[in-house]
Every structure is written in C-alpha cells, then in structure tokens.
Amino acid sequence: MREGVTTGTCAAAASKAAAMFAKSGEIPARVCVKNLEGREFCIEVFRIGDSFGVVKDSGDNKTHDVTHGLKIISTLTFTGKFGEIIFQAGEGVGIVTLPGLKIPVGEPAINPVPRIMIANSLREIFPFEQIIVKISIPNGSEIAKHTFNERLGIIGGLSILGTSGVVRAWDEKAYLESLKLELNMIHALEYREIFITFGNLGEKSLRKARNLQSRNIIQAGNYAGFVIDEAAKLGFAKIILAGHPGKLLKIAAGNFNTHSKVSDSRIEVLCTHLAILGEDYELIREIYDCNLTDEALRIIMQKLNRESYAKFWQNISEAVCRKCRERVNVNVNNVEFAAIFLNHEGKMFGNE
C-alpha cells in the first residue's frame, strides 16, 4: 500500500523551503528532508508570500487520517541573533495545556521528532541563526474536533506529529500510543482512580450516571486490555470499567479485544450466569436464541425477580473484575477493579 507522510515531515519540508527562499530568493518546487533514521522524503511545496506550505498526503491511509489534504504552512522570522530554533503555533495548531505529554504546558503541540526534523532542515541552510518557526494549518481548529487532542489537553488545533516521518494505512501502533499519552496525562494530573469506557456514548452515559465532571475517563475503543495493562503499570490504584453490557460481557469471558471480528461471547456469558443462578432451561434457551444483547437484557429484566436480578449483575461484575485481576496479576500490581453496567440513557443495570 502507498505510504504517506506525517504532518511533521510536511512541516519540515515547508520550513526548509521557506529557509531556502530567505537565503537566496530561490522558489523551490520540491525540497528533500530526512527523518531521524536518514530516510529522505522529497516533497512538493507551494509559496504564500514569504511562507511556504505542503499539502498533506496520507497515502492509502487517507480514509482514516483526518489530516489528509490539509495545508501545513511554515513562516520564518529571523531575530538577527545567533541562537536556538523557537517554535510558535499559528492558525490551527494546538497549544499544550495539561502535563503528562511529551511537550511542556504552554508550548505549541509540535512533537519532539518533528521539532528535530524541522531544526535539522533549517540548519542545513542557516547553521547558527536564531529562527522563530510558526507552523499553521488552515481549518486545523475545526478538524481537531475529530481527534484526541481536546482529551489530551491540546487546545486550539491539531498536533504536528510523527516519529518515522511516514504514514502507513491504519497504524494501530499510533492509535495505542495515543491511548498511552492520555493515560500519562491523567496520571500526571494526580488521579489514582481511572474510568475506562469504550467510546463517546459510553462516556456520556457514565458522566450522566455518576454526575462526573473529572478528566479521569479514557475511551479505550476495542483495546480495553491494552489500557488496563498500561494503567496498572502506571500505578493507578483503582480501575473502573464502565459501559454497555455488550462490551463488558466480553471481558467477563476474558476477551479483552472487544472488536466484533475478534470476539463475541455476550449471549454465552448471559446464559452461563443465568445457569449459575439456577434459572430454568426455558429462560436460558430463550436468551440463547436472542440475536441482540438488548433484546436478551429486556427479557432477563422481565423474567427475574428483584433479588435474582441484583445477584445476576453482581455475579457478572465479579467475573469482569476477576478476569481483569488475572490479566494484570494483582500479586504484582496492587490494583482494585470495579465494573459499571450502563444503558444508553445513563442508567445502571446493577450496582458497582
């Protein structure tokens, strides 16, 4: 599949083009920049006054990359002194507002590797001069609403990212790295209890159910197991999994990647715990024949008495916590677990 380039590579190329123009008046059509491993990327650039830009090309990952087709623009200001490269956030580039990320609070959200690539590219043209580099992304503020940035405390726009300089189709590693960054940020804010949900709807339901305004909620998507592992390593004292039973039932069976193509044990778990309660065959068979989790839950709520219903959810909650404890080895990582089962209106199926 065709590779693309990162926003960091684009920013480095745009900056180098602006430096070449400032040095000689040359207006390049293409410039070549290198990543930290020495791989070279030759990229088309365009001029806007004294600034230069690159149109971001995400290769065959364009359907998954919200930055595909955006313009990454670099504007250089020379202070007339010798000194370091100084980075500024222009239009559409975010500012870091929370601790725990790779960039200090108050700095533009231009990650360390892109900063090095930009600086190296500039130093090829101007070895010693102090240069202020302002990176802009028109429409970046709007596009940032569809990213993790706000959750990470990056306000006002997108981040300039990249470690290899290359974008590959659906980079799972990059997605997991975003989850690790968010966990680090939450830990740096001195939270020691964390809530894991599976998506936007789950987080909204949890906030409504518990009247939560705090920042210690992370959306794990289908990677609950990965988030649990990393949270335990960081030393969170309590991990609370919250969401619709459709996801949590899979974890009760020990399936920590909850993607439908990887695991599906929802109905089987419901039937198992009905059997543990001693419910009759007819009910278990009826649940087993259900195609949808919500359909099965509706029948269970109708058929069980109040005491059995409460015990049913208590047993499943204990199963979720037991599987989590087994995964992180609580003898090594002293973590407390809890589970909250929620419907889409923010009402709990059972008690935590």
Side-chain angles (χ1 to χ4, degrees):
M1 300 182 75
R2 191 172 68 86
E3 294 178 336
V5 291
T6 63
T7 49
T9 300
C10 293
S15 297
K16 184 173 182 178
M20 293 168 65
F21 178 71
K23 183 77 170 180
S24 65
E26 175 188 355
I27 303 175
R30 294 171 66 86
V31 298
C32 297
V33 296
K34 294 180 179 180
N35 67 7
L36 302 195
E37 287 73 45
R39 178 176 175 182
E40 189 171 66
F41 305 89
C42 293
I43 300 172
E44 292 184 4
V45 298
F46 62 88
R47 180 187 174 193
I48 306 176
D50 290 342
S51 303
F52 280 77
V54 170
V55 177
K56 170 76 156 54
D57 179 6
S58 299
D60 286 337
N61 194 52
K62 59 186 178 182
T63 57
H64 296 288
D65 187 348
V66 296
T67 64
H68 175 73
L70 293 182
K71 296 176 180 178
I72 315 298
I73 298 170
S74 177
T75 304
L76 306 183
T77 301
F78 295 85
T79 68
K81 306 174 183 177
F82 290 150
E84 63 185 350
I85 305 296
I86 300 170
F87 294 92
Q88 288 185 350
E91 174 193 356
V93 172
I95 298 291
V96 176
T97 66
L98 293 173
L101 301 181
K102 296 177 181 178
I103 301 299
V105 170
E107 280 284 306
I110 304 172
N111 271 20
V113 171
R115 287 179 182 236
I116 295 171
M117 289 180 65
I118 292 168
N120 288 347
S121 298
L122 291 176
R123 289 309 184 207
E124 292 180 25
I125 316 299
F126 293 97
F128 308 110
E129 287 82 349
Q130 185 178 67
I131 306 173
I132 300 171
V133 184
K134 181 169 71 175
I135 305 298
S136 305
I137 308 177
N139 202 38
S141 300
E142 186 64 28
I143 299 299
K145 296 176 182 177
H146 305 287
T147 72
F148 279 105
N149 277 20
E150 187 173 343
R151 297 184 62 86
L152 296 172
I154 298 170
I155 304 302
L158 292 164
S159 305
I160 302 298
L161 302 173
T163 54
S164 66
V166 178
V167 172
R168 298 182 177 89
W170 176 236
D171 192 343
E172 182 182 65
K173 182 179 178 181
Y175 180 78
L176 296 180
E177 182 65 22
S178 295
L179 292 175
K180 283 180 69 173
L181 285 172
E182 186 169 0
L183 280 169
N184 285 326
M185 180 270 292
I186 293 170
H187 193 266
L189 291 174
E190 299 187 352
Y191 287 105
R192 293 301 175 261
E193 177 179 277
I194 189 167
F195 293 88
I196 297 176
T197 65
F198 299 91
N200 282 317
L201 190 56
E203 179 174 345
K204 289 178 182 178
S205 298
L206 173 63
R207 289 192 181 279
K208 183 176 181 180
R210 301 293 289 274
N211 192 28
L212 289 174
Q213 304 298 322
S214 57
R215 296 190 64 94
N216 60 332
I217 302 175
I218 184 168
Q219 295 179 18
N222 291 309
Y223 297 95
F226 174 83
V227 175
I228 290 167
D229 293 343
E230 295 300 319
K233 291 176 187 176
L234 283 171
F236 283 96
K238 187 172 185 179
I239 300 173
I240 303 165
L241 290 88
H244 191 273
K247 291 288 189 180
L248 284 168
L249 288 170
K250 295 182 180 183
I251 293 177
N255 298 318
F256 286 91
N257 184 326
T258 58
H259 196 289
S260 59
K261 293 182 179 180
V262 177
S263 64
D264 189 9
S265 48
R266 297 164 296 166
I267 297 300
E268 289 80 1
V269 170
L270 292 175
C271 290
T272 296
H273 285 278
L274 288 171
I276 290 172
L277 280 178
E279 296 299 322
D280 59 38
Y281 170 82
E282 286 74 18
L283 174 59
I284 295 172
R285 183 74 222 190
E286 185 178 4
I287 297 304
Y288 187 76
D289 290 336
C290 288
N291 292 319
L292 301 174
T293 306
D294 284 335
E295 177 190 8
L297 296 176
R298 178 182 56 79
I299 295 170
I300 290 170
M301 185 170 61
Q302 291 174 346
K303 296 293 181 71
L304 297 188
N305 61 42
R306 180 174 296 183
E307 181 180 351
S308 295
Y309 190 72
K311 182 63 176 174
F312 175 76
W313 286 111
Q314 180 183 341
N315 288 349
I316 297 178
S317 177
E318 289 175 355
V320 170
C321 296
R322 182 174 65 253
K323 291 298 182 181
C324 291
R325 288 194 297 270
E326 291 170 357
R327 182 181 178 93
V328 303
N329 187 359
V330 291
N331 293 323
V332 177
N333 302 287
N334 187 23
V335 188
E336 180 184 355
F337 287 95
I340 303 175
F341 298 85
L342 299 162
N343 67 15
H344 297 318
E345 287 72 47
K347 295 181 180 179
M348 290 191 290
F349 286 94
N351 295 322
E352 178 184 345

